[in-house]
Amino acid sequence: MTPSADTILFNAALLTMDPARPSATALAIEGGKIVALGEDAEVLALRGPSTKLIDAKGRTVMPGLNESHIHLFVGAVELSQLSLFEQSGFETIKGLIRAYAAESPDLPIVLCGSADYTILGDGRSLDRHVLDEILPDRPLALMSPDHHTVWANTAALDKAGLLHGRALSAGNAVVMGEDGLATGELQEAEAFGPIYELTASGGRDKLGMVSGLDPASPPSPEERAADKDVLERGLKHLASHGITSFQNMDGNRYTLELLAELEREGRLLCRGRVPAHYVSGSVEEALDRAEEMRDACDTAMLTSGAVKFFIDGVLDSYTAVMSAPYEGRPDWSGEPRFEPGFFKSVCAQADARGLQIAVHSIGDRATEIVLDAFAEARTQNGARDSRHRIEHLEVVREEDFARLKELGVTASMQPPHPPGQCGLPFEPTITRIGKANWPRAYAWRRMRDEGIPLILSSDWPVSSVNPWASIHSAMTRQPWHESQPDNRQTLDEALRAYTTTAAYAEFAEGSKGMLREGFLADVVLLDRDLGATAPDDMAEVRALLTICDGKVTHEAPAL
């Protein structure tokens, strides 16, 4: 008796990403696995009385997308916050913020996102006095698009205990004014963590990013339930874009526990990988937590086994660590979060435990420090298939491209991030980079030319999680100066960075990232044939149907 499939998609332009069989017209799913690919007639022979048949009508069916750098908990929370993306001018943002505050009278702090560094225009900078003019009687804070700077009004600073400053570790700062009080600018997570503690969630969503620790007091059952609902909302948002896997770039045991509970409840709509995040404190205790997280979750839907570090900040706030001083600041090139010798020791210890390492590194000196640490880990522990990653790599020294290849590093980069892409202004970023560095900035093509594994992502909520906006940016990016090479990616290159190479980055290339018999049934049906879609139109692509583990996680009304 011929077995029947649970689901069959047919009349499709299958884009398998499998070099052994690049295309087909139909596939069958049974029990969470792909059981057949081929032409319509042969695959439709597997239909039974309960098989769900889906006519793709000639549209593309491809592997579910793997978002390899996001902050799920934070992004899910921000779905309900006011976004100031592409808004500018004092009067404009004042009107938007006051209207939002009036609609939300019970918020303990009015928190708004995507406030660009140049949002006021005319060279004006945000500070507490500007925000006091907008909302003088309630705590108010604005987050930059890159999530590395917060500007708070006087009420928020006072309530958070930051108005008179606070001693912080390297790379974090409460910027102080000549009057001896905080200006309102808070640089990096340790500085603005107390602001997030004022939110309705008590900042639980930010702990994986700010400290990597769990809530100081165990959340109540009601709070845990609310946090799971928030995470599920974020997962639904991912699924609506055709995403079937995500790799988180912050984490703690609490986040992993919530996702594990969602999995047991049948509510984990995407496969996830969650690292432990080390910020400070006992290295041994932090790495113990990372191992505990790895051992606690190792299912087809949820894994850990990685540790995340930040070595620097971002260019726009002068917190990225550069080899040469910033233009206009001859005595400042940034300060690393960790002393380089200490960071070598930490990475060697993490590597010795078999943990994958992912490091946020934006400045060229920061990446040099990270590569030195990876090399030290290899010297101490021997070479292994570690697949350590560097996140962002926005500026790289000439000599470090070869080192990235030699050390087997995966380059994790974000097409929406270069200046001029996805609505971002050119300034102040290109000035911060420095003209001499422009040819080696956001160097996607150089990474490929050197044979360095390249994965692409959004860094949501820093940018929209929509992978098609990211792929559009990757395929259409224009240089801002003639000294820059052509970094545009082909459709195949961009898709592989979101599928096969993204799976490789999490040691899962043997089970996902391709449409192949025996692989996990993670599939997306798009609203068009990608092969007939111009690069300029890629941002308009939409997911009509998303299937993860053989189950429908998103279905558009148009289907």
Side-chain angles (χ1 to χ4, degrees), residues 191-349:
F192 54 70
I195 293 293
Y196 283 113
E197 292 175 11
L198 304 179
T199 65
S201 70
R204 293 189 300 277
D205 55 302
K206 302 295 191 298
L207 285 173
M209 181 184 293
V210 172
S211 69
L213 301 177
D214 297 319
S217 300
S220 68
E222 292 76 18
E223 289 171 332
R224 288 183 77 94
D227 289 345
K228 285 193 294 183
D229 288 344
V230 167
L231 285 169
E232 186 180 23
R233 183 170 70 228
L235 294 167
K236 288 179 178 178
H237 187 63
L238 300 186
S240 73
H241 291 294
I243 295 168
T244 55
S245 291
F246 69 91
Q247 299 172 47
N248 225 46
M249 281 298 125
D250 66 81
N252 55 7
R253 283 181 294 204
Y254 182 63
T255 302
L256 192 65
E257 288 171 0
L258 294 177
L259 291 169
E261 289 178 22
L262 288 174
E263 181 181 5
R264 290 192 291 271
E265 295 165 8
R267 300 163 62 193
L268 187 61
L269 304 179
C270 303
R271 303 183 196 277
R273 184 170 174 83
V274 179
H277 179 198
Y278 174 74
V279 177
S280 61
S282 167
V283 174
E284 184 174 2
E285 290 179 6
L287 297 182
D288 284 347
R289 284 197 301 272
E291 287 193 284
E292 290 166 6
M293 290 169 63
R294 176 181 62 191
D295 297 341
C297 282
D298 186 18
T299 71
M301 291 296 295
L302 188 61
T303 63
S304 186
V307 61
K308 169 74 183 294
F309 302 97
F310 282 74
I311 194 66
D312 69 345
V314 292
L315 291 157
D316 288 2
S317 63
Y318 299 101
T319 54
V321 180
M322 303 295 288
S323 296
Y326 284 96
E327 183 176 324
R329 296 189 65 176
D331 299 323
W332 180 252
S333 57
E335 183 178 24
R337 298 280 187 93
F338 302 106
E339 188 277 324
F342 173 76
F343 191 62
K344 284 183 180 180
S345 172
V346 176
C347 285
Q349 292 177 65

Side-chain angles (χ1 to χ4, degrees), residues 118-139:
T118 59
I119 195 167
L120 294 179
D122 301 323
R124 298 176 64 193
S125 299
L126 282 167
D127 59 28
R128 65 184 174 92
H129 303 295
V130 170
L131 299 184
D132 287 348
E133 288 185 56
I134 295 174
L135 208 65
D137 301 323
R138 293 176 62 182

Side-chain angles (χ1 to χ4, degrees), residues 348-370:
Q349 292 177 65
D351 181 75
R353 295 183 185 224
L355 295 165
Q356 185 184 32
I357 300 170
V359 188
H360 166 115
S361 178
I362 283 182
D364 58 349
R365 169 58 181 152
T367 292
E368 180 187 10
I369 291 170
V370 176

